[in-house]
Amino acid sequence: MPGAPHEGARWHPSPNHGARRGGVLPDTVVLHYTAMDSAEAALERLCDPQAEVSAHYLICERGRLWQLVGEGGRAWHAGTGRWGTVDDVNSASIGIELANRGDHPFPEPQMRALEALLAGVMDRWRIRPERVIAHSDMAPERKFDPGARFDWRRLARAGLSVWPDMAGGAAGPPDAARFRALAGRVGYDMRAGDAALLAALRLRFRPWGRGPLAAADMGVAADLARRFPVDRGDTSA
C-alpha cells in the first residue's frame, strides 16, 4: 500500500522528514544525483540530522536500493523551487537519489533498479510520466542534477518519463518571449531568468546544445507544451 516499504528496498530510516503539508499526496517524482564519492557517504549524509536533507530512496551504482523515508512522508530533497503552481515540491513529490558524482554515465544495474522503482511508485500514486522530473527542472537557477549524463530518453521509452517528438520539425525561429511562455506551460518556474530556463531545458532534452536560443530549442519546448502541459487534468497539488 502507499507509504509501506518498497519491495526489495533496504530500510534505513532518516530522521530528516515530516508530514506532507495540507494533506497533499505525491503527484511528482524528482530525480537527483548525490554528487558524492560513494553511495555509503551519501547514505550517511541523508541520515545525518545536522545535514537536514533526505530523500525517499537512494540507489547505488550496483543497483542496491535503500528506503530512507516512507512514501507517505515528506522527505527534504527538493529545497526551494517550483513546478507549475507547486512551490512546496517536497510535499508533492517522491525524491530519488542516484549515487553519481555527475561526471560519468549511470550504470546499467542502477538504471534497471530505478526503472523498477519508478514503475512501482508511479502505479501506487498514479503519477503521470510527465511528472517525473529532474531536480534541475524545478530549481533551474541553482541545481544541475541528475545532469547531462542521465538517460531520460531511456525512461521515456519505458513509459516512465517523457521525450520530445521532433518529427514535425522546428517550431519557428528563435523567439525569447515565446520560449518563456512555452517553458512555463511545461512547468518551468517563470521567476527564473532566460538563460537559466534555456540551460535547464537543454540539460534534460538537448545536453549537446550550445550558444543562444535555437530553433531546435523552440521545437522541444513547443512539443512538450502541446503534449504535456503542466496543468493538464487534476492533480493532488
Side-chain angles (χ1 to χ4, degrees):
M1 70 178 186
H6 180 82
E7 183 178 358
R10 300 186 180 197
W11 180 243
H12 196 288
S14 171
N16 303 331
H17 69 277
R20 295 185 184 273
R21 297 169 179 167
V24 170
L25 298 179
D27 67 0
T28 303
V29 177
V30 182
L31 301 186
H32 308 256
Y33 63 47
T34 58
M36 300 185 73
D37 287 336
S38 70
E40 289 73 21
L43 186 64
E44 181 176 353
R45 176 170 173 78
L46 292 166
C47 294
D48 180 359
Q50 299 291 325
E52 297 187 337
V53 294
S54 63
H56 293 88
Y57 295 100
L58 168 66
I59 306 176
C60 84
E61 298 93 332
R62 299 179 301 280
R64 180 179 299 173
L65 172 65
W66 291 276
Q67 184 166 4
L68 286 64
V69 176
E71 290 180 7
R74 180 180 183 273
W76 303 343
H77 64 97
T80 303
R82 177 184 291 235
W83 189 246
T85 61
V86 178
D87 55 13
D88 180 5
V89 178
N90 279 332
S91 285
S93 67
I94 300 289
I96 301 175
E97 291 274 0
L98 301 168
N100 188 291
R101 295 189 305 273
D103 58 359
H104 60 87
F106 293 74
E108 178 65 22
Q110 187 176 49
M111 291 298 295
R112 286 200 305 268
L114 173 62
E115 288 169 333
L117 174 61
L118 276 175
V121 169
M122 294 168 71
D123 180 65
R124 282 190 289 278
W125 298 101
R126 299 182 180 179
I127 295 173
R128 300 193 304 266
E130 63 265 33
R131 296 194 75 88
V132 177
I133 66 172
H135 199 190
S136 54
D137 289 330
M138 49 128 319
E141 293 195 306
R142 66 183 187 87
K143 291 296 179 179
F144 307 96
D145 52 315
R149 300 283 192 143
F150 185 75
D151 193 349
W152 285 101
R153 194 167 193 170
R154 170 175 172 158
L155 288 192
R157 286 196 297 264
L160 301 173
S161 190
V162 298
W163 191 257
D165 178 3
M166 300 302 294
D175 181 326
R178 183 164 181 254
F179 179 80
R180 284 189 66 83
L182 292 169
R185 287 180 60 195
V186 174
Y188 289 96
D189 188 352
M190 292 293 90
R191 298 171 297 183
D194 289 354
L197 288 177
L198 176 59
L201 182 132
R202 281 181 172 174
L203 185 60
R204 179 165 168 187
F205 299 107
R206 296 189 68 241
W208 57 88
R210 299 291 185 272
L213 179 67
D217 302 311
M218 298 293 298
V220 168
D223 179 70
L224 295 171
R226 176 179 61 83
R227 293 193 294 137
F228 308 112
V230 71
D231 59 356
R232 172 171 79 90
D234 295 327
T235 70
S236 62

